[in-house]
Amino acid sequence: MTPACAASPAGDAPGRRAAWCGTWLLLAAALLTLCGASVGSTGFDSLLRMRTDPVAWQIVCDIRLPRTLGAWLAGALLGLAGAVAQGLFRNPLADPYLLGSASGAALGVTVAMAWFGVSALATPWLARIGTAGMAFAGAVLAVLLTLLLARGVQHTLRLLLAGVVVGVVLGALRDLVQLASPDILRAVHAFALGSTAFVGWAACALMAAAWGLCGVLAWTLARALDALTLGEATAASLGLPLTPMRAGLVAAMALATAVAVAQTGLIAFVGLAAPHLLRSLVRVTHARHILLSSFMGALLLLAADILARWLLAPQELPVGVLTAALGGSYLLWLMHRRTVQAGGA
């Protein structure tokens, strides 16, 4: 994949290089989708027996395919949110969870699990919302609290600090709820490790709608990110309405992160590593960078999900463990390479 993305002639326009890279990322995703439909305890047999065996049909169409597509969509949402975060904060270490959405989602899930077994009054409406709904609500409330504490989106540094504070406070509240209900520790830990095992077609439809909405919004407002690379003063002198554009980008990042986390749990490093990996292949404007980072994040999470199902089959590894190990290793290698290059220069 790397040679194909980087093999375009130097004289080609950035749009042509981006088109080639996006094409190869989508082709790789299609190949991995076929692999995802065949990975399981019955292997390729289920694919071969789909026409004659209703059980094989159900395994492939109701379990493997929605899980595979769900991994692609969740990765696409996280990759998109990571590219927006790094452009908005002008920080290569920014990730989608900076605004406290991860801690808010974890708190929402923890409260839901605790109340399901503790509070009889809370059970009826919590049962209708479900843990995914509570995770989404917790992530959105955390972002709103961050915006309130930062007094809007005018100052990115204040927004960043507010997100860190909100994340720490909500994480402490989650720990207190777990201490009060120790029987939910295992379930909350599973959510924190991330999994695509429970993704169905309804969740895929929801993530696809969120990805389309966030992608259009981020693409439309990407000019603000291009302007911010020149500095706040220069961006303001260009006549762009930076405050509403920042608000729209924050909304896209928060919605994408909240939807992905609500359906798959806390999956680490996809949103952080995808923009870095893409930047090492092709340099484009933020509009194309956001879209291609979304494709890259989708490919990373899809590959990690297939590995999580295949490495210890029939047992499964938490996909968040693989993404953290692989993503962290890649970033360490990238830092080492840049250090060596800087020392050689």
Side-chain angles (χ1 to χ4, degrees):
M1 181 180 66
T2 303
C5 291
S8 56
D12 285 358
R16 185 176 178 82
R17 293 197 298 270
W20 272 107
C21 195
T23 300
W24 282 103
L25 289 174
L26 291 177
L27 287 176
L31 180 61
L32 286 179
T33 299
L34 180 61
C35 293
S38 63
V39 172
S41 59
T42 57
F44 280 97
D45 291 343
S46 295
L47 287 177
L48 299 176
R49 294 186 288 107
M50 282 181 62
R51 293 184 177 181
T52 59
D53 189 350
V55 176
W57 177 273
Q58 186 176 17
I59 288 174
V60 174
C61 294
D62 294 340
I63 298 176
R64 292 183 185 174
L65 282 179
R67 175 173 183 170
T68 301
L69 180 59
W72 192 93
L73 288 168
L77 288 168
L78 292 174
L80 184 150
V84 171
Q86 292 181 13
L88 186 63
F89 293 108
R90 287 174 287 168
N91 189 335
L93 294 179
D95 74 348
Y97 301 151
L98 273 182
L99 299 183
S101 55
S103 298
L107 177 61
V109 168
T110 305
V111 170
M113 291 178 178
W115 282 9
F116 273 137
V118 176
S119 174
L121 295 177
T123 299
W125 63 271
L126 276 177
R128 288 193 293 269
I129 295 175
T131 53
M134 286 294 290
F136 178 80
V140 171
L141 289 176
V143 173
L144 292 177
L145 183 59
T146 299
L147 293 175
L148 180 63
L149 187 61
R151 299 177 185 176
V153 297
Q154 291 86 353
H155 304 285
T156 53
L157 180 58
R158 183 187 296 171
L159 187 63
L160 178 62
L161 294 175
V164 172
V165 171
V166 168
V168 171
V169 172
L170 295 185
L173 291 177
R174 181 198 63 190
D175 293 339
L176 289 176
V177 175
Q178 289 183 110
L179 289 175
S181 304
D183 55 312
I184 66 171
L185 285 173
R186 193 178 188 88
V188 174
H189 185 60
F191 175 82
L193 292 177
S195 175
T196 59
F198 304 104
V199 175
W201 287 116
C204 289
L206 178 63
M207 287 192 286
W211 180 56
L213 177 61
C214 296
V216 170
L217 184 58
W219 177 280
T220 304
L221 301 176
R223 291 180 304 160
L225 300 179
D226 291 331
L228 285 173
T229 58
L230 304 175
E232 293 277 348
T234 304
S237 68
L238 294 176
L240 294 175
L242 289 181
T243 298
M245 293 180 83
R246 274 201 193 102
L249 289 168
V250 168
M253 179 178 66
L255 179 61
T257 305
V259 172
V261 169
Q263 301 300 328
T264 61
L266 304 181
I267 295 178
F269 272 102
V270 171
L272 177 62
H276 281 280
L277 186 56
L278 178 69
R279 207 175 289 118
S280 68
L281 300 177
V282 61
R283 297 274 183 169
V284 288
T285 59
H286 276 93
R288 294 188 178 97
H289 179 71
I290 289 171
L291 179 61
L292 293 177
S293 293
S294 183
F295 290 162
M296 181 63 74
L299 187 65
L300 290 177
L301 185 52
L302 179 55
D305 181 63
I306 293 172
L307 282 176
R309 286 187 268 164
W310 174 72
L311 285 177
L312 298 179
Q315 296 182 351
E316 292 185 14
L317 285 172
V319 67
V321 173
L322 275 181
T323 58
L326 297 176
S329 300
Y330 168 73
L331 291 178
L332 286 174
W333 172 80
L334 186 64
M335 292 173 61
H336 173 72
R337 190 183 69 171
R338 289 183 176 179
T339 302
V340 171
Q341 290 176 347

